[in-house]
Amino acid sequence: MKRIIKYMLILPLLATLTNGCKKFEDINTNPNETTQVNSAMLATGMILNVTRGDISSTKGFMQPFLLGKYLTWGEGQEGFQYNRLGRTDFDRITLLRNIPSMENYATSDALKKSYQGLGHFIRAWQFFMATMQVGDIPYAEAVKGETNVLQPKYDTQKAVFMGILNELDQANQLFATGANFEGDPIYAW
């Protein structure tokens, strides 16, 4: 009887071990997710990140630039009015890590120029919003963690604005010589 009980305990354990690890990669792979990325996917993600967070909110597109015209709103204090702690952070700069990958996955030189132009525009927008909310921010050494710049120096707001204008000039030149690219959910080009 003891022998039968042992076999009854060991048999399901053996069945689980032999069948449980079969086809692990097949059952662990989500068929609805991609395993490869391209420039258009990265461009879509970055454009949606910028437009959802800054432009499409009810009054987020006005903050903090229209606080002088705040007379008609009656909702209460805003974090930007009183410089509250926790009102902002540097999370918007982490999006910029995707720009080199987006540029590298381009399939032609004309598309690469367009994606580089988009990268410069998104950099300009993200740094503009960050410097308007915080003031002096890391700009010249920002997003260079892969090259061991782990504590970037802060640039003055004037230097950041000069860099932003330079980024926009570069974006304009690259868009002028580039091609229509995929991945733009706004204009669907």
Side-chain angles (χ1 to χ4, degrees):
M1 187 70 162
K2 290 183 180 181
R3 211 178 229 179
I4 294 173
I5 293 175
K6 277 186 184 178
Y7 288 131
M8 289 177 68
L9 292 174
I10 292 175
L11 190 61
L13 181 63
L14 286 174
T16 303
L17 288 175
T18 57
N19 292 327
C21 295
K22 232 183 209 181
K23 301 179 185 175
F24 179 75
E25 290 301 321
D26 292 340
I27 62 174
N28 198 33
T29 303
N30 185 353
N32 296 325
E33 286 185 3
T34 184
T35 56
Q36 297 178 353
V37 70
N38 60 30
S39 295
M41 293 171 116
L42 291 170
T44 300
M46 286 190 281
I47 291 170
L48 288 177
N49 185 297
V50 168
T51 55
R52 282 183 184 148
D54 295 329
I55 298 171
S56 66
S57 64
T58 307
K59 61 181 180 177
F61 69 95
M62 296 190 327
Q63 295 292 347
F65 314 114
L66 295 178
L67 287 177
K69 305 285 184 187
Y70 203 78
L71 298 174
T72 60
W73 238 287
E75 296 177 17
Q77 303 175 359
E78 293 290 329
F80 292 111
Q81 286 176 307
Y82 299 103
N83 208 14
R84 287 190 193 157
L85 293 176
R87 69 182 167 77
T88 191
D89 53 32
F90 288 106
D91 285 347
R92 67 178 52 256
I93 294 176
T94 60
L95 173 75
L96 304 179
R97 294 179 297 182
N98 293 334
I99 292 174
S101 299
M102 178 184 65
E103 295 168 357
N104 292 335
Y105 289 135
T107 56
S108 70
D109 287 337
L111 282 175
K112 186 168 186 163
K113 287 181 182 178
S114 295
Y115 286 122
Q116 285 174 336
L118 178 63
H120 284 295
F121 174 77
I122 289 177
R123 279 180 53 89
W125 177 259
Q126 297 295 72
F127 282 121
F128 171 76
M129 293 300 290
T131 194
M132 290 302 291
Q133 293 172 349
V134 178
D136 296 348
I137 60 170
Y139 175 74
E141 295 182 358
V143 197
K144 294 189 179 180
E146 291 180 356
T147 59
N148 284 336
V149 179
L150 301 179
Q151 295 179 339
K153 71 173 185 69
Y154 277 61
D155 295 303
T156 64
Q157 196 171 35
K158 180 179 179 178
V160 173
F161 273 111
M162 296 301 290
I164 289 169
L165 292 174
N166 186 32
E167 298 262 8
L168 291 174
D169 284 340
Q170 289 176 352
N172 186 35
Q173 291 171 0
L174 289 165
F175 279 137
T177 59
N180 289 343
F181 61 91
E182 294 180 2
D184 186 355
I186 307 296
Y187 292 107
W189 286 349

